[in-house]
Amino acid sequence: MTGAPLSGKEFTERLNTIAKARLADHHFGVSALAREMEMSRSTLHRKVKQAFNCSASRFISQKRLVKARQLLQNRKFTIKKIASMCGFHSATYFNKCFHVYYGFTPGKARKK
């Protein structure tokens, strides 16, 4: 992998920009993120761990869940559609991940 090293702020800005742009792609994962960041998976993991205190896969998942919660509050789409829009190919898996992360279901989030 090539490219000039990014400062902490540049790294987090680029990471957030890439993740935001690719959230709907359920094939988007750590390998794709590492490629787009032009670094190895291990370097990406180390830098994400340092910047966000979580793994790269958890970082992607959290970005998806935060976006899903925003969409739920909008009430424009069904929960199944929101799951798909946020990169979850299964509404059941989305419900499980959402509940683990927030402590309540997407349905309850919609009512809040």
Side-chain angles (χ1 to χ4, degrees), residues 1-99:
M1 305 278 158
T2 61
L6 300 172
S7 72
K9 183 178 179 182
E10 292 169 330
F11 172 78
T12 57
E13 286 175 358
R14 186 162 181 216
L15 189 71
N16 284 317
T17 299
I18 291 169
K20 184 178 178 183
R22 300 282 308 273
L23 285 183
D25 180 2
H26 70 270
H27 294 293
F28 180 68
V30 177
S31 294
L33 181 57
R35 267 192 312 276
E36 290 195 33
M37 291 293 293
E38 299 178 342
M39 58 183 59
S40 69
R41 284 176 54 105
S42 59
T43 300
L44 175 68
H45 177 75
R46 181 178 46 78
K47 289 186 152 222
V48 170
K49 182 75 171 172
Q50 183 179 29
F52 299 99
N53 197 31
C54 66
S55 68
S57 61
R58 170 89 43 179
F59 172 81
I60 294 168
S61 179
Q62 288 174 351
K63 289 291 180 186
R64 286 181 166 143
L65 292 167
V66 167
K67 178 66 175 175
R69 188 163 185 194
Q70 292 169 351
L71 290 170
L72 284 165
Q73 291 169 343
N74 183 312
R75 298 177 187 240
K76 186 175 179 181
F77 304 104
T78 65
I79 292 173
K80 185 174 182 178
K81 177 67 176 171
I82 290 170
S84 177
M85 291 168 66
C86 293
F88 291 91
H89 55 83
S90 163
T92 304
Y93 182 64
F94 167 68
N95 283 328
K96 178 184 174 191
C97 292
F98 193 95
H99 187 266

